[in-house]
Each structure stands twice: as C-alpha cells, then as structure tokens.
Amino acid sequence: MLTLSVNCPKCKKTLNVPTASAGATGSCPQCKHRVTVPPLEPVATQRQVATHSNQRPCKTISSGSATALPWLTAGLALIAVVLSIASLSSSFRSRPASLEGLDSSDVVTQLDAMKQIVDSHNQQLAGYKTIVKSNDSRIESFTNRLNALELQLGEIASNTSPQPAGDVEKLRADFESFRRFITYLRQTGAIASTRKTAVLDLATRNYVCVDVEQGTLLVSCQDAEPYLDGVRLRLHIGNPMAVDFSEYAVKLRWGNRFKGAYDDTASYVKWHDSLEEKSFSQTGTLKFAAWNVCTIVLPDTNPEDLGFLEAEVDVNTVSLSRNYPDEKQ
C-alpha cells in the first residue's frame, strides 16, 4: 500500500497516511492540530497474491481488498505444511526402523536416503519462510491503515458537527480488529520461522523435525499411557546424521489443547502460561541412522488432560568411530 509521510507542523510527529488521503485535512492523533495532506496525483497499484506451487494461481486483486489477502496466504501455507509433513511421514515409515545386520555399503545408502528427505524438507521450509516474509509486508500495510484510521478518529473527535454514533463505533471496531489480526500474523510467523521446538501429534504418531546445533533430528510420540500418578511417553528419536549423540536431554511442555482463537491474545497467553514444562536428562545414546526409543514419565498428569505436547532436544556429546568398519586394527 503506497503511503505519504506528513509532518505535523505543531508537534513534528511524522504521520504515514495512504495516498488516497492526499488533499484531505485531519487532526494529529498526538496534539490534535489540524494537518493537511499535500495533494498528489493518485497512482493505481495492484498486488499479486502469493500462491503455493501446488495451488491454482489466484486472481490479481487491488490493494483495497488487502483485508482478505493475509487470511488466504496463511491458509495456503498451513495446507502446504500439512501435506508436506504427511508426505514425509509416509516416506519415512516405509523405511526400516533400524539398520542392524546391514553391511557398510547398505548403511551408507540408507543414510544418504535419509539425508535427501531432510534436505527436501529444508527446501520446502525455505518456501514457507518466503510466505512468512510476504506476510510481514502485509503487516506493514495493515500498520499504515491503522495510522490512517487514527487520523480519521482524531478528525471525528475534533469536529464540532455531530457525527453518527454508528460510524464512530464501526471505526473503533475496525481498529481493534486490525490490531488483533496483526498479533495473530506475528504469532504464526514466529512459529513458522523456527524448528528448535516442535509440537508432537499424539493421534497420528507422525514425526516432526527438531533442529539441534549439529543438524536435524526426527521426533515422534509412539505411545502415551497412564503410569502411577502420571503419564508414560514412548518417544522415537531418529538420528539421520553420521554421528552418535550421548548425554542428551529432552525438554517437554505439555497440558490441555488450546481451544480459543489465536487472535485472542489474552486467552492465548493465559493458556500458554498454564502449560507444564520440564527437562528430562537421558543417559542413553542416539545411534546414527536409526530410530532410538526414549521413555519419559510426566509426573502429576491426568491422561485426559494431555492434549498438547511440545518437544525440544539438546545434545551435549558427539561420538565418532575411531576406524572404518572394514579397516584392520
């Protein structure tokens, strides 16, 4: 959205207003001084909706329809993420869970195949980051529109002639709606830009990628059953790298599933603060090119209240073989 920068002659505040307001007069939201926007010949702009490579291109829409554009883009990105994870999960389940009994050439072949899957996922992640970057530009557009609404509200407040109450309330409702939507876009953008933590699917047992300093691990929750006063989890941690990891820790965050709207900031923060969080140190070894079983007990947890599970893995020690398997001592 094209904007004009106008300085208030009284308080010197810089106001960003849309080009459609050129020639209009309004009140400064800070000092209420009357500000006249310099006239400017309007320039028509259009914006092309970003689409996923597997979706039919959308029609070109004008900037006046930008209200629906971020919702459409966020929806396409979410569908693409779900399809990508489902495809990778199916591909990985078709591979052997362990490489015991294979010779060195078979191990290298299986390891290369696993790396190709991770590389493919990284390429798709780069595409999703491009969509998030596009959403950032739309956030800036919404911010400019908020500034224009502030200018209009100031004009209405300082105007001596009576204004219909319905128009004022509508402007205030639009203003608050834009603010909530910007908060929602920032939250979803922050989730999409990192893989250090990942939400585990307790229903489908699909794996998710979790980044560590040395590379990427694959984590899935295979089982969750009542145990004493808590819940016992059986996690599978896949190590597609060519090294072993020992003395690792699994940090979990768990609780009820969030049932509100993600643009309701107050409800989301309250739910997030109610989650339990604990780090579980493990003495086992994450063998390379294999799925490794990790058992963890969540204390004081009702199985019926376990609807959300987020995992993070921290590795401390890397182990490498001293000799190749076919090398003589």
Side-chain angles (χ1 to χ4, degrees), residues 205-227:
R205 302 179 181 178
N206 293 336
Y207 77 89
V208 292
C209 293
V210 176
D211 289 341
V212 295
E213 294 183 359
Q214 297 80 2
T216 300
L217 298 175
L218 313 176
V219 183
S220 68
C221 181
Q222 296 295 308
D223 191 22
E225 60 181 3
Y227 182 79

Side-chain angles (χ1 to χ4, degrees), residues 42 92-93 102 124 132 144 168 187 198 206 229 237 306 316:
F92 235 93
R93 285 199 302 265
L102 301 179
Q124 295 187 18
V132 172
N144 293 333
V168 177
Q187 287 175 346
N206 293 336
D229 60 344
I237 303 179
L306 184 61
N316 299 320

Side-chain angles (χ1 to χ4, degrees), residues 82-102:
V82 173
L83 292 177
S84 173
I85 292 178
S87 176
L88 290 175
S89 243
S90 176
S91 175
F92 235 93
R93 285 199 302 265
S94 64
R95 300 185 178 278
S98 175
L99 298 178
E100 297 180 359
L102 301 179

Side-chain angles (χ1 to χ4, degrees), residues 50-55 70 73-88 117-138 185 188-195 209:
T51 59
H52 191 270
S53 61
N54 291 332
Q55 301 293 331
T73 306
L76 291 175
L78 179 60
I79 293 174
V81 170
V82 173
L83 292 177
S84 173
I85 292 178
S87 176
L88 290 175
I117 293 177
V118 174
D119 291 342
S120 175
H121 188 79
N122 288 335
Q123 292 176 0
Q124 295 187 18
L125 179 62
Y128 303 150
K129 288 184 177 179
T130 302
I131 296 177
V132 172
K133 185 177 180 181
S134 176
N135 279 340
D136 290 340
S137 65
R138 291 171 175 80
L185 287 179
T188 55
I191 292 174
S193 62
T194 179
R195 292 191 307 179
C209 293

Side-chain angles (χ1 to χ4, degrees), residues 22 117 151 161 176:
I117 293 177
L151 189 61
S161 60
E176 183 61 26

